Structures are given as C-alpha cells and as structure tokens.
Amino acid sequence: MKIDFTLNGQARSLNVDPLQPLLTTLRDVIGLKATKEGCGEGECGACSAIVNGKLVNTCLFPIAQVDGAQVLTLEGLRETPRGRCLIDALLTAKGVQCGFCTPGMVLALYQVLVNSPDVTQITEHEIRVGISGNLCRCTGYGMIVDAVNIAIEQGEGLW
Ligand code: FES
Ligand code: FES
C-alpha cells in the first residue's frame, strides 16, 4: 500500500504493508533509530512519536494510520529551538541516565509544554500525568520532572 505522510517536516512516500508498525517503518525502513523498541506491547512508551499532535506508541500504530499525517520524532524535534531547550534542560537536570527512555520522554515532555495554555502554571501532577505512559527504570522521575521547570525557565518566550 502506498502511504504518503510528512515526517519531521519532509514529505515521504512509501510502499509498505499497511499493518507494519510505524516503529518498524521508522527504524528499519527509513533508518531513524532514535525511536526505541522496549516492550513492543504498548506499555513502556520508549517507542513514542507524535502523530498529528498526539503522542502515540508506534509499536502498536499501523503505518496505514499515518497516511496523510504529520509525524514528529526526536530527530525532528531536536532540530528546533524548543527541542534543543528541552534536551538541554533534561541534561542539566540529570534526567538522562541509560538514555533508553529519553527519546520518548522528550516527546512526552514536549507535549506537556506545548499543550499547556500557560506553562508557568504547569503543576508537578500535570507533568507526571503527561509522562505516565513513559517508563524510566533509572531516574525515579524526579529529575525528569525538574527538567520541565528548567526548560520553562531557560526557554522564556519559547513556550
Ligand atoms: S515499545 Fe512501544 S510501548 Fe513499549
Ligand atoms: S534513563 Fe534509563 S530508562 Fe530512563
């Protein structure tokens, strides 16, 4: 099946099995390896990407559903000022240890920030809910939560 979509701002056209997961397409067909496979069952969030403004688990997301959509992965986000701000904040907060959860976590945190009507009012609870689908086995989450506050502080005007 022919699938046309926009990936990190660039038009893509692929002939693939419509049931192939977006994760497989990103990693094995296109060669973008930031998106990780953890559980492969929709439980860990390591495979997160943003499709039409929503965080999805790409391991369970058939490529057919991407037809006509806008897809954002860490490779695209890190080229933007917001993405760089958030990654720098995560590093400053020491919210990256083994790094396996990090690509998905950055996208989940980005969603928390861009969906907030006023980032100065974001609560810890809202951040924790926003990353509740993204498991991290290393950090205990506290430093990841801190990163959002650092990003808001350092990225004044960006959010
Ligand atoms: S690999 Fe997709 S949710 Fe774990
Ligand atoms: S930094 Fe290791 S799983 Fe999150």
Side-chain angles (χ1 to χ4, degrees):
M1 179 178 171
K2 186 164 172 285
I3 310 283
D4 296 303
F5 64 109
T6 304
L7 175 61
N8 297 330
Q10 290 194 328
R12 295 276 179 164
S13 189
L14 299 174
N15 257 310
V16 285
D17 173 351
L19 294 180
Q20 176 173 276
L22 174 57
L23 176 62
T24 310
T25 312
L26 290 169
R27 290 184 58 85
D28 300 341
V29 179
I30 299 175
L32 292 184
K33 304 283 190 183
T35 311
K36 300 289 185 273
E37 178 164 13
C39 64
E41 296 177 350
E43 299 290 337
C44 73
C47 65
S48 298
I50 297 172
V51 178
N52 286 343
K54 293 215 157 41
L55 197 68
V56 305
N57 288 329
T58 60
C59 65
L60 297 183
F61 205 82
I63 188 68
Q65 286 189 34
V66 166
D67 198 33
Q70 300 273 343
V71 179
L72 181 68
T73 68
L74 186 69
E75 286 94 343
L77 184 59
R78 73 185 174 200
E79 299 303 321
T80 68
R82 284 175 162 180
R84 281 194 293 273
C85 171
L86 193 45
I87 290 166
D88 286 349
L90 207 50
L91 292 172
T92 302
K94 299 190 171 37
V96 180
Q97 291 185 22
C98 82
F100 197 80
C101 71
T102 305
M105 196 63 84
V106 170
L107 292 165
L109 295 173
Y110 174 75
Q111 287 294 89
V112 170
L113 285 160
V114 296
N115 289 326
S116 169
D118 179 355
V119 292
T120 63
Q121 303 299 313
I122 291 178
T123 64
E124 179 174 342
H125 177 71
E126 285 170 330
I127 299 168
R128 288 184 181 270
V129 168
I131 61 171
S132 58
N134 294 74
L135 302 185
C136 177
R137 298 209 179 270
C138 305
T139 64
Y141 301 100
M143 292 176 279
I144 290 172
V145 171
D146 291 346
V148 173
N149 296 318
I150 294 171
I152 293 166
E153 239 176 72
Q154 291 184 346
E156 204 181 339
L158 268 183
W159 304 105

